[in-house]
Amino acid sequence: MQQSVESLVRLLESYRGRDKVIRTVCYGSQLVGGALTQKAEADASSQRLGKSLLLFSAQLSHCRTVLRLFDDLSMLAYSHSYGLGASEEDTGIRWISVLTNVADQLYYPCEHIAWAADAELIKVRSDKWWLFSTVLWGTSLLLGIFRSLRVLLLLRRKLKKQERAEGGSRRSHLNREIRAELLSILSCMADISNAIHWMPPGFLWAGRFPSWLVGLLGTTSSLIGLIQMNTSSSEL
């Protein structure tokens, strides 16, 4: 128990860790709140609790949007350090990663403009800027899926070579990497489902998800993110 508390404290001490915790609580609240308000037989107190959880989720989402106002420079520093991915051995992974960095970099100013418009700091319509940011987010997620699929293909090739060479410890390491990429694909698929839901009506299943389903998909991807962060910290 004490070890779990210490791990949570360490997670909350970093900005990325705190954001992942807030994201998980945000979508978890939407999942429970949506489920409570969806139930026709729920009593009045359950309905009130459900609505409160949905409002709480919306406030946490707004909190994350405000905190991302300061992410541009760190993203720019990462994109600059990665450059054209000269250190990558595979050309496909290199260019997918470069395009992902471009989409992520453009996402932030679009979201900032949309937020500023909603806050009435600038006199522009926020709708199109929210649309641009959602499209860029979805593009980044789709590229992430393509990258993970490419990495999986390369890992399976390496695994076959290791099976012939009978390298037990190396095979175990490759299997862990394969599981990590499969989790990444699952996370991206959950998020891209929500991204499509937030697109304008008429595009695939846009606007058709109930609140609890949006919360379920977001909670799934958030928990995967926490697991991956915890695994990376343990390896370090």
Side-chain angles (χ1 to χ4, degrees):
M1 179 65 179
Q2 183 179 355
Q3 188 176 4
S4 299
V5 172
E6 289 176 354
S7 298
L8 179 60
V9 170
R10 283 197 300 271
L11 195 65
L12 291 171
E13 283 177 346
S14 68
Y15 170 72
R16 295 300 172 194
R18 191 182 306 121
D19 179 67
K20 288 189 180 298
V21 172
I22 294 173
R23 188 182 197 272
T24 305
V25 176
C26 172
Y27 280 115
S29 300
Q30 187 170 7
L31 169 59
V32 177
L36 287 174
T37 55
Q38 192 83 1
K39 284 185 177 180
E41 68 276 8
D43 55 31
S45 60
S46 296
Q47 289 282 345
R48 283 197 299 272
L49 176 60
K51 290 177 181 178
S52 296
L53 286 171
L54 289 176
L55 289 172
F56 178 60
S57 174
Q59 288 301 313
L60 288 180
S61 178
H62 181 71
C63 167
R64 293 183 66 234
T65 301
V66 173
L67 289 173
R68 281 196 296 270
L69 290 171
F70 306 96
D71 282 357
D72 300 72
L73 289 178
S74 59
M75 183 65 221
L76 185 61
Y78 173 77
S79 298
H80 181 265
S81 65
Y82 187 85
L84 296 178
S87 59
E88 293 283 2
E89 296 179 1
D90 183 73
T91 305
I93 292 177
R94 178 192 308 168
W95 288 110
I96 290 173
S97 299
V98 169
L99 291 173
T100 301
N101 290 342
V102 171
D104 289 342
Q105 192 69 63
L106 292 174
Y107 167 84
Y108 290 109
C110 290
E111 186 187 54
H112 301 341
I113 294 171
W115 168 82
D118 282 345
E120 298 182 354
L121 298 175
I122 55 176
K123 293 183 178 180
V124 297
R125 290 188 61 182
S126 66
D127 300 7
K128 66 177 182 179
W129 292 103
W130 284 122
L131 175 60
F132 290 158
S133 63
T134 303
V135 169
L136 287 166
W137 181 43
T139 301
S140 175
L141 292 168
L142 192 59
L143 289 168
I145 292 173
F146 291 154
R147 186 185 188 281
S148 290
L149 289 172
R150 179 62 181 168
V151 172
L152 277 175
L153 179 63
L154 296 175
L155 287 173
R156 290 190 182 280
R157 288 177 182 173
K158 290 180 181 179
L159 190 60
K160 286 181 179 179
K161 290 180 181 178
Q162 289 300 320
E163 285 174 352
R164 288 195 291 268
E166 297 183 356
S169 60
R170 179 60 177 162
R171 278 206 310 272
S172 177
H173 178 70
L174 289 172
N175 281 322
R176 284 198 300 272
E177 289 188 5
I178 288 172
R179 286 194 293 270
E181 292 301 330
L182 288 173
L183 283 175
S184 294
I185 291 172
L186 179 60
S187 175
C188 287
M189 288 179 67
D191 281 335
I192 206 169
S193 297
N194 276 341
I196 291 172
H197 165 71
W198 286 316
M199 292 291 284
F203 180 76
L204 298 178
W205 55 83
R208 297 181 185 177
F209 285 177
S211 293
W212 67 265
L213 183 53
V214 174
L216 177 62
L217 292 168
T219 302
T220 300
S221 66
S222 299
L223 289 174
I224 290 173
L226 285 172
I227 292 169
Q228 290 174 326
M229 176 172 274
N230 185 58
T231 302
S232 299
S233 300
S234 300
E235 289 176 353
L236 290 173

